[in-house]
Every structure is written in C-alpha cells, then in structure tokens.
Amino acid sequence: MEYRHLGRSGVRLSTVGLGSWLTYGNQVDREMSSATIKRAFELGVNFFDTADIYHVGAGETELGLALEGIPRSDYVLATKVYWPMSDNANNRGLSRKHIMESIDKSLQRLKTDYVDIYQCHRYDEETPLDETLRVLDDLVTAGKVLYTGISEWKPAQVKAAVDYADKHDLDRIVSSQPQYNLLWRVIEKELIPLCEKEGIGQVVWSPLAQGVLSGKYQPGKPLPPDSRGADERASGPIQGYLQENILKAVQGLRPIADAAGITMAQMAIAWVLRQPNVTSAITGATRPAQVEENVKAADIKLDAATLSAIDEALTGVIRY
C-alpha cells in the first residue's frame, strides 16, 4: 500500500480508502461490515470515510463499532456535514448552530474524541462563507477536528474559502472530495489545477462510477438483481452511467484489463491514482474479498499504451 500526503498537510492517507455511503448501516449487516472494515485495515487501508447523512447516522455508527479495538492513532477518519438530518429547520446546512451540534453527534456515533478530516458535504448558499469557515476553525482549535475539507464545491467557492482563510488567519481546508473516474473527468480542467496550487488534496468518490466500471452491467441485458442499478430507489450518478452507449464503451475496457492481467475494477482505480493531485480513491466494499481485490490497485502502474487504449475505448462517453 502506498501512502500519500493530503495536499500540503503532514497527514498521510492510504491511496485506497474505504467509504460507507451505500453499504454499512444499510446493505450490509453488522457482522459483515465489521469483517470488511477490519480486513481493509489489515491490508494497509488507513483512511475511512463516512458522513452523518449516510443512512441518517447509521453509517457512522457501524464504522465506529467496527473500528473499536484498533488504536485511534493508526487510522485516519473522515466524516461530513451539510445534508438535512431531520425535518428541523436548523438541522441542516453549514451554519454555526448545525455544525457545532453535528460534530458532537458524529463523534458520539463514531466512538471517538476527534475526527481527522471534517468535510462540508456541499456548499451552503444560505449561510455566509465566513460563518462556516470560522466555526470550522473553532473546531480545530477545540481539538474536535484535525483537518477540514469540502466535497463537490465549485472551483470559485474553493478559491473564496482559501482566500478568506488566508486573509483572516484561519485554518485552511486541505481536502477536496469530488466525483472522479474514467468516465467523469470534470475536475481536471479547473479544480485539480486550483487545488494543486493551494495545497489541497483530492480524496475522490465513485472511482468505479457506481460499479459500472467493474463491467458488471452489460449492454442489452437486464440489470443484475440486487445491484444498485436495479434498485428502483437508486438515484443520482448511477442513472447517468446506465446508458447503453456508455455500457457498450465500458465493455471495450475488458480486453485491455485482460491484457494487463488485472480486473476492470483494478484498472479503473489504478487510473484514478495516477493523477498527482489525488491522495486517495474512496472505494466501497460489501465483503472482505472485494477489499482484497481493490487494494491491489494501489500497486498497479498503467503504462502509456494502456492509458491510450483506455481513452480510445471510451471515446465519446467521457465527461470533461
């Protein structure tokens, strides 16, 4: 396993991380969640990501239970705040009230005194930026948070945040959590150059495009039962990936992966990790065997011919 600095900070994260968005506290029972998380740690994964909104606190609870017994200094724990946690008008957003109350609830669920990385899950148009940045700085001063970050903020919003922090001598954000994969490369044009300049590292989500890049969704065939794609309740990014032209193009990656002696999923993760501004790729896993396969991507180096073949196979379906 390779470990990289998060931006210009001193903390190092495993290049393959483990998330809990669609799994722990929902799809996976407690015993399997614990076994999967513990196996990830045994294989060198030290970065675990969650959010308060994941199954309305259940994701944090399951992760906290699974990490019990592992020395707190041996892993990097990240969670997020923003989305509504109830119908209460103030139980949402990035106000001082919501953040101060949310961090204590997250710490309780995670069974820890502090989180390593506390991230703003989206930008809050209804709360002044200075209010959000000042309360994050207060949490760092209080020792409840070691580093701060953002998820899915626009480049202009990130720039405004770092400029304000510099001007007022506040703790700076060091983490950005955007979607990034072979099919979705939107961050390359503006966000990555900005973050490289400002010392912010990417901890990217959906490196497998919701599982589409694993090759399990076949063009012209029914969606696999029990898959996220077949779940009528599923929404968000996966719907955009389940287009026939995209699925057909993705199948063109199979011979490329076979020629390299790796799985399609490993190739997709390895591609993400080749970007210099990417600190870690947050993967999902419902069982230990999936983690064992995913972490192998940390040691895979894709040559120029393979990279060229990937881009050729995906011509016309890449979103820049």
Side-chain angles (χ1 to χ4, degrees):
M1 180 66 70
E2 180 185 355
Y3 300 88
R4 295 178 182 172
H5 285 285
L6 179 58
R8 283 202 294 263
S9 74
V11 68
R12 289 187 175 95
L13 278 56
S14 53
T15 51
V16 175
L18 184 64
S20 57
W21 173 26
L22 302 171
T23 50
Y24 314 128
N26 182 36
Q27 295 179 352
V28 186
D29 63 37
R30 180 163 294 173
E31 183 178 355
M32 187 59 72
S33 295
S34 180
T36 304
I37 292 165
K38 285 181 168 59
R39 183 58 178 149
F41 181 76
E42 291 171 355
L43 293 169
V45 174
N46 78 341
F47 176 45
F48 298 92
D49 178 80
T50 187
D52 59 2
I53 193 57
Y54 294 168
H55 318 301
V56 196
E60 288 182 326
T61 297
E62 294 301 315
L63 183 57
L65 288 169
L67 291 171
E68 276 192 304
I70 298 176
R72 182 63 184 85
S73 60
D74 288 356
Y75 60 89
V76 178
L77 181 60
T79 192
K80 297 181 280 294
V81 59
Y82 169 79
W83 294 107
M85 292 294 286
S86 73
D87 291 335
N88 186 295
N90 285 309
N91 200 11
R92 65 195 65 203
L94 299 177
S95 68
R96 173 173 287 274
K97 177 176 175 61
H98 182 54
I99 289 177
M100 291 294 285
E101 293 171 349
S102 294
I103 186 62
D104 286 338
K105 293 174 183 177
S106 288
L107 293 177
Q108 183 177 20
R109 289 189 290 262
L110 290 165
K111 296 181 177 295
T112 183
D113 295 327
Y114 67 94
V115 293
D116 297 279
I117 310 169
Y118 200 42
Q119 303 158 107
C120 299
H121 212 159
R122 291 295 187 274
Y123 188 84
D124 187 353
E125 299 283 358
E126 299 182 358
T127 299
L129 179 61
D130 65 309
E131 179 177 339
T132 299
L133 295 179
R134 287 186 179 279
V135 69
L136 292 177
D137 185 77
D138 288 344
L139 292 182
V140 173
T141 301
K144 294 182 179 183
V145 171
L146 303 188
Y147 303 94
T148 59
I150 48 87
S151 178
E152 293 293 343
W153 282 27
K154 297 176 181 178
Q157 295 165 343
V158 175
K159 185 65 165 64
V162 296
D163 285 351
Y164 186 89
D166 287 347
K167 181 178 180 179
H168 298 278
D169 196 27
L170 301 178
D171 194 75
R172 261 169 150 257
I173 59 174
V174 298
S175 172
S176 168
Q177 188 173 137
Q179 180 181 188
Y180 188 46
N181 56 57
L182 281 167
L183 297 168
W184 185 267
R185 309 186 192 183
V186 175
I187 67 172
E188 291 181 351
K189 184 177 180 180
E190 295 182 63
L191 186 66
I192 282 182
L194 171 64
C195 288
E196 284 185 314
K197 178 182 178 182
E198 299 295 346
I200 299 169
Q202 309 297 326
V203 290
V204 307
W205 61 276
S206 198
L208 297 181
Q210 306 292 288
V212 169
L213 289 169
S214 71
K216 67 180 179 181
Y217 297 102
Q218 301 281 334
K221 295 183 179 180
L223 299 172
D226 301 324
S227 69
R228 176 164 171 76
D231 187 346
E232 294 181 355
R233 300 167 299 173
S235 60
I238 194 167
Q239 301 300 334
Y241 291 129
L242 295 177
Q243 306 301 314
E244 199 70 4
N245 63 326
I246 293 177
L247 298 182
K248 184 177 180 180
V250 168
Q251 289 305 310
L253 298 175
R254 190 175 298 278
I256 302 172
D258 289 344
I262 56 180
T263 68
M264 290 173 66
Q266 289 167 348
M267 184 169 72
I269 296 170
W271 181 91
V272 167
L273 295 179
R274 64 180 285 274
Q275 290 291 344
N277 190 234
V278 172
T279 300
S280 185
I282 301 171
T283 61
T286 59
R287 58 189 186 278
Q290 283 186 314
V291 173
E292 292 167 3
E293 286 302 305
N294 288 342
V295 298
K296 292 176 183 177
D299 298 320
I300 295 171
K301 306 300 180 185
L302 303 177
D303 59 32
T306 300
L307 295 172
S308 178
I310 289 171
D311 286 347
E312 183 176 353
L314 296 178
T315 298
V317 298
I318 300 171
R319 179 75 179 274
Y320 290 102

